[in-house]
Amino acid sequence: MTQLIKPLPGGGLSVPERPVVPFIEGDGVGPEVTRAMRAVTDAAVEAEYGTARRIEWREVLAGGKAFEQTGQWLPEATVQALRVCLVGIKGPLTTPVGGGIRSLNVQLRQGLDLYVCQRPVRWFEGVASPVTHPERVDITVFRENTEDIYTGIEWEAGTPEATKFLRFLQTEMGVTKVRFPASSSFGVKPVSREGTERLVRAAARYAVTTGRHRLTLVHKGNIMKFTEGGFKRWGYDLLEREFADELRDGRLVVDDCIADAFLQNALLKPEAYSVVATLNLNGDYISDMLAAQVGGIGISPGANINYTTGCAVFEATHGTAPDIAGRDTVNPCSLILSAAMMLEYIGWTEAAQRIENALSQCFATGRATADLARFMPGATPLTTTAFTEALTKHIFSIEH
């Protein structure tokens, strides 16, 4: 009988043998990567647990498919299903640039208060990289997900709202540093103590429980002293207050780094970093830059998590790629690895490890989709379907 995943009072999850997991197919290449992800996930669960466990997939709508069927880009029923079922997964969703709808990804994160965007970045042997030593990159990014400029508090130049805001800045706040006031758009960057503390707490717990030990707070506090600087200050305060024992005995080692310096250091000495906690915009830049070092966001997973409620949505980190949609060429590894993160999150770690081991075997033997294979000497470029089949065969052939 299918059941729902439930939060436990003291933290953690109660996971039934056949949990209901909502999925959003996504736009563009979304249907293809989602189909591959489900096939691989089901194979890993079956190979590891036989008939004792199974995921009961339930499709919910968002993006273009939702708009076509309901007239809404993100129906409330979808948000409610993810809230009730607690753990879900989604393909890439359309995000217009400039005008149109607000980012559906951001709406989901804010609507469900998924305050952590967790992005683990590691290299798989055989995958081509633009850096000399991609194996030195093994960093998990904790990106704050609900504050910073992604709150969408902004006003377009020339609108009555922008004029009103400018007038407030000039007359009420004494601001004189707007260089071209008549043609300026404005945005507001909220950063709170509470938002900072819950993110840094989650990152610190992860560093301690996984044995990674080192946590780095990345910020731009030298310029934005009360927002980014506040993040640094509040982060240290939280760590000293709640992790004093771990800091004292070395289970947790903490430092901080200015964002631009971190971007340089992560290229020159990535082995110096293990777990990174940072604000929303910095985290966007950092996680994609790190992914490029190990072969691109095509093999970079991601999760959006509220560690208080237990609610989590795992996702493809790449875009919809409409130019290759329907051609059976897209690389499905980002969503597949996100599914492995999801399995680990619900405690099915053995199945998650099967997926990662199978991917390692495929890449090490030069079997990959064309985007990766073209840079791998002697590799065999596979269609999305063929790669999924090869990966599934590896999953069933793995012995513990």
Side-chain angles (χ1 to χ4, degrees):
M1 184 177 70
T2 61
Q3 294 178 313
L4 299 179
I5 298 171
K6 297 288 187 180
L8 293 172
L13 301 173
S14 172
V15 181
E17 300 303 311
R18 294 191 173 185
V20 175
V21 175
F23 71 94
I24 296 169
E25 193 175 61
D27 299 316
V29 296
E32 295 165 88
V33 297
T34 299
R35 185 164 53 247
M37 176 276 297
R38 290 181 58 189
V40 169
T41 305
D42 288 342
V45 172
E46 180 184 346
E48 190 61 45
Y49 310 117
T51 59
R53 290 178 176 176
R54 187 176 72 192
I55 289 177
E56 298 292 340
W57 302 101
R58 177 182 297 175
E59 184 176 10
V60 293
L61 300 178
K65 192 173 185 179
F67 189 74
E68 289 174 6
Q69 295 188 21
T70 70
Q72 297 177 298
W73 291 97
L74 182 59
E76 178 57 32
T78 295
V79 179
Q80 185 62 16
L82 292 167
R83 184 177 290 116
V84 169
C85 295
L86 218 61
V87 174
I89 192 165
K90 70 175 192 65
L93 294 171
T94 297
T95 301
V97 177
I101 59 171
R102 284 281 182 187
S103 167
L104 300 176
N105 297 320
V106 172
Q107 289 183 53
L108 272 173
R109 293 165 187 167
Q110 293 181 348
L112 294 168
D113 197 24
L114 304 175
Y115 59 85
V116 169
C117 180
Q118 187 183 129
R119 293 278 297 273
V121 185
R122 55 158 290 196
W123 180 67
F124 286 90
E125 183 179 354
V127 176
S129 165
V131 299
T132 306
H133 291 288
E135 74 279 1
R136 295 178 182 172
V137 180
D138 187 6
I139 301 172
T140 300
V141 178
F142 276 68
R143 168 190 173 193
E144 203 291 318
N145 234 356
T146 64
E147 298 191 314
D148 203 355
I149 62 172
Y150 282 73
T151 53
I153 306 172
E154 59 176 355
W155 301 278
E156 185 178 5
T159 63
E161 293 82 6
T163 301
K164 184 177 181 180
F165 186 71
L166 173 63
R167 186 182 308 116
F168 171 77
L169 289 178
Q170 292 175 329
T171 60
E172 299 293 327
M173 304 300 292
V175 173
T176 61
K177 295 181 180 180
V178 180
R179 180 74 66 183
F180 302 106
S183 62
S184 291
S185 294
F186 297 96
V188 175
K189 177 188 176 78
V191 177
S192 69
R193 177 188 290 273
E194 293 87 346
T196 296
E197 287 185 347
R198 63 182 185 173
L199 176 85
V200 173
R201 180 184 296 115
R205 285 177 177 169
Y206 178 86
V208 172
T209 58
T210 60
R212 285 178 166 265
H213 304 301
R214 180 170 292 279
L215 170 63
T216 302
L217 307 180
V218 179
H219 60 91
K220 193 65 177 167
N222 58 327
I223 302 300
M224 292 168 276
K225 300 184 183 299
F226 304 122
T227 51
E228 303 264 344
F231 174 82
K232 172 191 171 182
R233 184 173 65 257
W234 296 325
Y236 272 118
D237 288 348
L238 179 280
L239 294 166
E240 291 167 2
R241 187 172 69 247
E242 296 188 11
F243 293 87
D245 291 342
E246 291 86 349
L247 290 168
R248 189 178 304 110
D249 62 26
R251 283 178 292 156
L252 183 63
V253 178
V254 180
D255 61 3
D256 69 274
C257 189
I258 301 297
D260 45 322
F262 175 85
L263 292 171
Q264 176 180 233
N265 293 344
L267 281 169
L268 297 174
K269 51 176 184 178
E271 66 276 10
Y273 302 105
S274 183
V275 180
V276 167
T278 191
L279 287 168
N280 212 331
L281 183 60
N282 292 335
D284 200 356
Y285 297 151
I286 288 168
S287 54
D288 280 11
M289 184 277 289
L290 291 173
Q293 291 182 241
V294 299
I297 58 174
I299 55 170
S300 176
N304 304 283
I305 304 171
N306 183 315
Y307 282 98
T308 305
T309 65
C311 189
V313 177
F314 299 79
E315 65 182 355
T317 60
H318 55 75
T320 58
D323 55 318
I324 61 170
R327 296 185 181 182
D328 200 25
T329 60
V330 64
N331 176 2
C333 290
S334 174
L335 195 60
I336 287 171
L337 282 167
S338 294
M341 287 182 71
M342 180 184 75
L343 291 173
E344 188 171 355
Y345 182 71
I346 66 174
W348 296 8
T349 54
E350 304 90 350
Q353 193 59 56
R354 274 189 180 267
I355 293 175
E356 293 203 9
N357 290 344
L359 276 171
S360 294
Q361 290 181 9
C362 278
F363 294 146
T365 55
R367 300 176 69 79
T369 48
D371 62 314
L372 298 178
R374 60 182 172 164
F375 300 115
M376 301 162 65
T380 303
L382 301 176
T383 64
T384 308
T385 302
F387 178 75
T388 303
E389 292 171 353
L391 190 55
T392 300
K393 288 179 181 177
H394 278 297
I395 284 172
F396 280 108
S397 68
I398 292 171
E399 295 183 6
H400 289 299

